[in-house]
Amino acid sequence: MALRAEPPDGGWGWMVVLSAFFQSALVFGVLRSFGVFFVEFVAAFEEPAARVSWIASIGIAVQQFGSPVGSALSTKFGPRPVVMAGGILAALGMLLAAFATSLTHLYLSIGLLSGSGWALTFTPTLACLSRYFSRRRSLATGLALTGVGLSSFAFAPLFQWLLSQYAWRGALLLVSALSLHLVACGALLRPLSLAEDPVMGGPGAQLANLLHHGPFLRYTVALTLINTGYFIPYVHLVAHLRDLDWDPLPAAFLLSVAAISDPVGRVASGWLGDAVPGPVARLLMLWTTLTGVILALYPVAQAPTALVALTVAYGFTSGALTPVAFSVLPELVGTGKIYCGLGLVQMVESIGGLLGAPLSGYLRDVTGTYTASFVVAGAFLLAGSGVLITLPHFFCFSAPTSKPQDPVTEALDTKVPLPREGLGED
């Protein structure tokens, strides 16, 4: 690894963006399209919606709760072998799920095993990308995460077609084959050492600092609330449309409609995050608020035209909030602590991912419709927007956007030259 004073903002970083593009497609593209399997699992195992919802929720929660493990392993061994091992675990989980005879088997195979593989792939890749970019970090993240939207557009109807041709067991075997391509994504990652890394200390010192970092803790709470409602449409929108007497294929295709506007929102938001002065948290609050309002309006829409319009808007705003959500963290804690910080955030917000879909399914079982499910999901996102307002310099338009709000780092900066200046003086 070559020692650099600051992120190169390009170079091999664009290959890391390419790796993150396919990796995000093979992780969250699959998760977003997994609602197509939801109806099949309910019918195959004759279980209520709340219990079936735990499959995706456990997978999301394990992916996020296990992120600190992926971060720690990447710090020690580098992201490349960690992501490649994660790809093998993700594919193995889907393979074993094809032979499931009960929901418990799916909890263990898809939820636990594939979720563990996703934990070893997503966070190390995004953290590696953040270390390669500074001025163009939001744009690079937005481009990388467009893989989620584009794959959702392709995977939802593809999975529905596979179900009609090979049933759910055969479809899971082919999803396993797709997941194995995560190994190739990991091979593209090249670790980068920055001059500020020695100043930040080891993982233990970074963790202790983050746990006493007020803005970081508030940001973690905000993302946890957002995460609770964020995935509800991708788990229950198809089932909601089936309750409205939609046919299975058009219902699955509506998820693809969201996927059309999703990458547009990600790229536009990434460009705005780098171009608009001031903290990126303001953009995140805007997109989160709009997404929450759209979710709350879903039960009101009954006509197909209104549902399509809401889904296009949801795809844009939910896609737009993602790249700026990852760009806020380096502003708060600095690039040197991005592995530890991102892993810790992902672990805590897994609480939202774990409870969101089962709560939505429970409300469906109690009320008989998904009205309360979508309204509550929107309320969680609006609550997260309220917490974001408390972040430092939120209302100060002249505040710098690249300096981390970290009292320990600021104290160190008074004694240690900044990397850019210190390298020249040496």
Side-chain angles (χ1 to χ4, degrees):
M1 296 187 294
L3 179 66
R4 299 187 66 99
E6 60 181 11
D9 263 319
W12 189 260
W14 295 115
M15 295 303 296
V16 177
V17 170
L18 179 65
S19 172
F21 173 88
F22 286 107
Q23 178 269 138
S24 63
L26 295 171
V27 175
F28 286 100
V30 170
L31 274 173
R32 282 189 170 195
S33 305
F34 220 71
V36 175
F37 288 89
F38 181 83
V39 178
E40 298 294 328
F41 290 153
V42 170
F45 298 104
E46 298 179 350
E47 296 282 0
R51 291 198 63 191
V52 176
S53 298
W54 280 97
I55 300 172
S57 292
I58 292 174
I60 295 171
V62 171
Q63 180 267 317
Q64 294 175 330
F65 194 78
S67 292
V69 177
S71 298
L73 292 174
S74 297
T75 302
K76 183 174 180 61
F77 301 107
R80 180 180 292 163
V82 175
V83 173
M84 295 176 72
I88 295 174
L89 289 178
L92 181 60
M94 290 293 177
L95 176 66
L96 295 177
F99 302 95
T101 57
S102 69
L103 280 184
T104 303
H105 295 161
L106 294 179
Y107 294 160
L108 295 175
S109 57
I110 297 176
L112 183 59
L113 194 56
S114 290
S116 298
W118 297 330
L120 297 181
T121 59
F122 183 72
T123 301
T125 302
L126 264 292
C128 182
L129 184 149
S130 295
R131 292 169 62 82
Y132 269 92
F133 292 90
S134 177
R135 291 180 294 103
R136 292 181 283 187
R137 181 180 293 129
S138 295
L139 178 60
T141 305
L143 290 173
L145 294 178
T146 54
V148 179
L150 294 177
S151 62
S152 299
F153 176 76
F155 286 170
L158 173 62
F159 290 173
Q160 187 64 57
W161 182 81
L162 291 176
L163 285 170
S164 65
Q165 296 295 317
Y166 304 106
W168 63 270
R169 297 184 186 275
L172 285 177
L173 288 175
L174 294 173
V175 174
S176 172
L178 282 174
S179 298
L180 199 59
H181 289 77
L182 287 168
V183 177
C185 294
L188 288 175
L189 301 181
R190 179 184 294 172
L192 179 68
S193 179
L194 301 176
E196 66 178 291
D197 291 346
V199 178
M200 295 300 175
Q206 294 181 26
L207 179 61
N209 175 232
L210 291 174
L211 292 178
H212 292 85
H213 193 292
F216 171 79
L217 295 177
R218 294 196 298 274
Y219 182 65
T220 302
V221 171
L223 286 190
T224 302
L225 292 171
I226 294 169
N227 203 46
T228 304
Y230 182 85
F231 290 100
I232 299 306
Y234 297 105
V235 178
H236 288 150
L237 180 58
V238 172
H240 172 61
L241 295 176
R242 295 290 294 273
D243 286 349
L244 298 178
D245 296 326
W246 281 48
D247 291 331
L249 193 57
F253 185 76
L254 194 60
L255 285 179
S256 299
V257 172
I260 296 174
S261 55
D262 181 288
V264 178
R266 291 172 188 266
V267 175
S269 178
W271 177 80
L272 286 173
D274 293 330
V276 176
V280 184
R282 283 202 296 266
L283 270 180
L284 177 59
M285 189 277 292
L286 171 65
W287 301 129
T288 302
T289 301
L290 292 176
T291 305
V293 171
I294 291 169
L295 284 179
L297 290 176
Y298 257 110
V300 180
Q302 299 292 325
T305 304
L307 286 167
V308 171
L310 274 180
T311 304
V312 171
Y314 172 78
F316 183 90
T317 58
S318 64
L321 71 86
T322 307
V324 289
F326 288 105
S327 297
V328 170
L329 191 58
E331 291 185 0
L332 291 177
V333 304
T335 309
K337 289 183 285 188
I338 188 63
Y339 276 111
C340 186
L342 185 56
L344 189 58
V345 166
Q346 291 270 292
M347 182 187 72
V348 176
E349 71 174 350
S350 67
I351 299 172
L354 180 64
L355 299 180
L359 175 61
S360 177
Y362 172 76
L363 293 174
R364 164 65 174 82
D365 293 335
V366 171
T367 63
T369 68
Y370 283 99
T371 298
S373 301
F374 282 98
V375 171
V376 170
F380 275 114
L381 271 83
L382 294 176
S385 299
V387 178
L388 289 173
I389 297 176
T390 68
L391 294 181
H393 304 299
F394 186 88
F395 296 102
C396 182
F397 286 84
S398 60
T401 61
S402 59
K403 185 177 179 62
Q405 303 297 324
D406 185 345
V408 174
T409 302
E410 291 172 0
L412 288 169
D413 286 344
T414 63
K415 301 176 182 180
V416 180
L418 289 173
R420 182 182 303 175
E421 299 172 355
L423 191 63
E425 293 170 358
D426 293 342

